[in-house]
C-alpha cells in the first residue's frame, strides 16, 4: 500500500520518547508503511540522508533538541518528504509550527497532538493531499485492522496468560543499610521477543485502554508475592500507578479488597504516582488520593524534581513520601547542580513531614553523599537491581544470615 503513488512509503520518526516512536512504528507498519524511529537529531539526519524517507514525523518538544530548529534544517536541506508535526503542548503551538514549517518550504502533511489515535496518524500517512491540519481523509479499505488488533490483543493475552511478571527492587535506610521494602516493577515475558521493559508497554497500555486491567494484574501478583514471603515481616511494598488510573474511581476499593484477600495491612502498601500525574487535574486527583489514604494505603510522589509542583498543592495533597528523580541521583557525583537540587528537595520534603527516597543510586559515592545530606531511604543498582520474586525473597534471606 502506498499513499497515492507507486513509491513505497517510508516513515522516519524523531521523538525523544522511545515508547512513542515504537507505537508510531507499529501503527505505520500496520498501515503498510516502512518505519524507522530515532530519538536524537543526529540519528534522524543520518537516516534522512541514507534511507530516503517519504514521510517524517517530528516531535516538537524534546529535552535536548529543538523541533523548530529541526524544521529549519530540513528547510535548508530542501527536504521533499511530507512532514507530520507532533506535539503534546496544545494546538496553537502546533499551528504556529505548521506555519513556520510551511515558510521553510516544507511539505507539511499535517499536525497531530499527543495523545493521538491510530487513525489520525494513519490518515496522515496515507493521505493523497498533503495539506490538511490533521484532517486528511483515509479510504476505509486502507485500514488493515487485523494486525493492529493483534498488538492490543497480544498485550491483553499477555495479561490473561500471566506473561506479565513483577520484579522487585529493594529499598534501604540510608544510614544503616537496613531493608525497608521493595518496589514492584512490571516486565512482559513475551514468548517471541523475550523480556520487554515497562517503558515499552505501559504507555501502550495507557493509550489502548488496557492500563486498568494491567494495573490490577500487577498489584494482585505483587501482593500475593508479598504475602507469601513477607506476611509477618516489617516491610513495605511500593506499587506504581499510572496517571490514567487516577480517573478510575473504583481503584481504591479494588486494591483495598486485594490487600484484605492477601491479609496485608494497607498501611504496608505505598502507591507511587509521578509528580506530573499527581499534580494534574486538581479535583479528581485529590478525590482519588484521599480515598486511597482513607483506605489506609500510603502515597508517594515519584520522579520528583522534573515536573512542576506548586508548593501549596504539594503541602496539601496527602503524600507520605517523595522520591527524588533518578536523573539527579545518577548525576550527583558529576554535577554540583544535581547535588544542590537533591539537598533542596530533602529540605523541602522534610519541612513538609515527608520521607525522602533517592532512586538511581549507582555507586558507593552517591550512597555516601545521600547519607551526608540526610536522605532517608535509597534504591538503586548499587544496592540491588530489580529481581524476579523468588530471587528477591532469597536476597532478603541471605542478608539476614550474613
Ligand atoms: P520508576 O517508577 O521511576 O522506576 C524506577 C526505574 O529505575 C526502574 O526501571 C528501575 O529498574 C530503574 N532503576 C533502578 N535503580 C536504578 C539505578 O541505579 N540506575 C538507573 N539508571 N535506573 C535504575 P524500570 O523497571 O524499567 O521501570 C521504568 C518505569 O516504568 C518506572 O519508573 C515506572 O514509571 C514504570 N513502571 C514500572 N512498573 C510499572 C507498573 O507496574 N505500573 C506502572 N503504571 N508503571 C510501571
Ligand atoms: Ca516508581
Ligand atoms: Ca522514579
Amino acid at each position: 500500500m502506498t499513499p497515492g503513488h507507486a513509491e513505497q512509503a517510508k516513515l522516519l520518526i524523531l521523538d525523544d520518547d522511545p515508547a512513542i516512536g515504537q507505537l508510531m512504528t507499529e501503527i505505520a507498519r500496520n498501515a503498510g508503511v516502512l518505519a524507522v524511529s530515532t530519538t536524537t537529531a543526529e540519528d534522524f539526519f543520518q537516516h534522512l540522508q541514507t534511507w530516503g524517507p517519504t514521510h517524517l514525523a517530528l516531535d516538537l518538544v524534546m529535552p535536548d533538541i529543538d523541533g523548530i530548529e529541526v524544521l529549519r534544517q530540513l528547510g535548508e536541506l530542501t527536504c521533499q518528504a511530507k512532514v507530520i508535526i507532533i506535539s503534546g503542548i496544545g494546538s496553537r503551538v502546533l499551528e504556529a509550527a505548521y506555519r513556520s514549517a510551511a515558510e521553510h518550504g516544507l511539505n507539511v502533511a499535517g499536525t497531530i497532538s499527543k495523545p493521538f489515535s491510530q487513525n489520525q496518524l494513519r490518515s496522515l500517512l496515507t493521505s493523497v493531499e498533503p495539506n490538511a491540519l490533521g484532517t486528511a481523509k483515509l479510504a476505509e479499505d486502507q485500514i488493515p485492522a487485523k494486525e493492529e488488533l493483534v498488538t492490543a490483543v497480544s498485550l491483553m493475552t499477555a495479561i490473561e496468560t500471566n506473561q506479565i511478571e513483577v520484579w522487585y527492587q529493594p529499598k534501604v535506610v540510608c544510614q544503616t543499610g537496613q531493608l525497608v521494602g521493595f518496589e514492584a516493577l512490571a516486565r512482559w515475558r513475551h514468548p517471541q521477543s523475550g523480556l520487554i521493559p515497562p517503558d515499552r508497554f505501559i504507555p501502550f497500555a495507557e493509550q489502548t485502554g488496557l492500563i486498568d486491567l494491567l494495573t490490577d494484574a500487577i498489584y494482585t501478583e505483587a501482593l500475593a508475592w508479598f504475602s507469601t514471603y513477607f506476611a509477618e515481616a516489617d516491610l513495605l511494598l511500593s506499587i506504581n500507578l499510572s496517571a490514567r488510573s487516577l480517573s478510575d474511581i473504583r481503584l481504591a476499593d479494588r486494591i483495598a479488597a486485594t490487600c484484605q484477600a492477601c491479609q496485608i495491612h494497607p498501611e504496608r502498601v505505598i502507591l507511587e504516582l509521578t509528580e506530573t500525574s499527581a499534580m494534574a487535574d486538581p479535583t479528581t486527583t485529590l478525590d482519588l488520593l484521599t480515598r486511597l489514604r482513607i483506605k489506609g494505603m500510603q502515597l508517594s510522589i515519584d520522579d520528583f524534581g522534573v515536573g512542576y509542583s506548586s508548593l501549596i498543592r504539594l503541602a496539601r495533597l496527602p503524600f507520605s513520601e517523595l522520591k527524588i528523580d533518578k536523573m539527579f541521583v545518577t548525576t550527583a557525583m558529576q554535577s554540583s547542580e544535581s547535588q544542590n537540587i537533591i539537598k533542596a528537595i530533602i529540605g523541602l520534603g522534610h519541612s513538609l513531614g515527608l520521607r525522602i527516597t533517592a532512586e538511581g543510586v549507582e555507586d558507593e559515592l552517591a550512597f555516601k553523599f545521600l547519607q551526608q545530606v540526610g536522605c532517608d531511604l535509597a534504591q538503586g543498582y548499587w544496592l540491588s537491581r530489580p529481581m524476579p520474586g523468588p530471587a528477591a525473597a532469597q536476597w532478603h534471606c541471605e542478608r539476614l544470615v550474613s
Side-chain angles (χ1 to χ4, degrees), residues 198-262:
D199 289 336
R200 280 186 40 211
F201 63 91
I202 298 231
F204 179 73
E206 289 172 334
Q207 273 149 5
T208 49
L210 287 168
I211 190 66
D212 292 344
L213 201 61
L214 183 62
T215 304
D216 284 359
I218 293 164
Y219 69 71
T220 305
E221 177 173 337
L223 282 164
W225 168 82
F226 198 54
S227 91
T228 303
Y229 293 102
F230 301 108
E232 304 301 327
D234 188 15
L235 293 176
L236 303 166
L237 175 68
S238 299
I239 293 167
N240 291 284
L241 288 188
S242 148
R244 297 282 159 105
S245 301
L246 291 177
S247 55
D248 177 2
I249 52 162
R250 313 297 310 168
L251 183 69
D253 295 334
R254 296 200 307 273
I255 301 179
T258 311
C259 284
Q260 198 175 15
C262 294

Side-chain angles (χ1 to χ4, degrees), residues 154 156-164:
S154 71
M156 208 163 193
T157 311
I159 300 167
E160 287 165 355
T161 60
N162 300 326
Q163 290 171 23
I164 304 298

Side-chain angles (χ1 to χ4, degrees), residues 169 183 186-187 198-199 218 240 302-303 326 359 362 381 386:
Q169 186 176 36
E183 176 175 2
R187 306 280 181 264
D199 289 336
I218 293 164
N240 291 284
D302 206 351
D303 301 347
K326 62 176 175 290
E359 64 181 6
E362 293 185 347
Y381 293 163

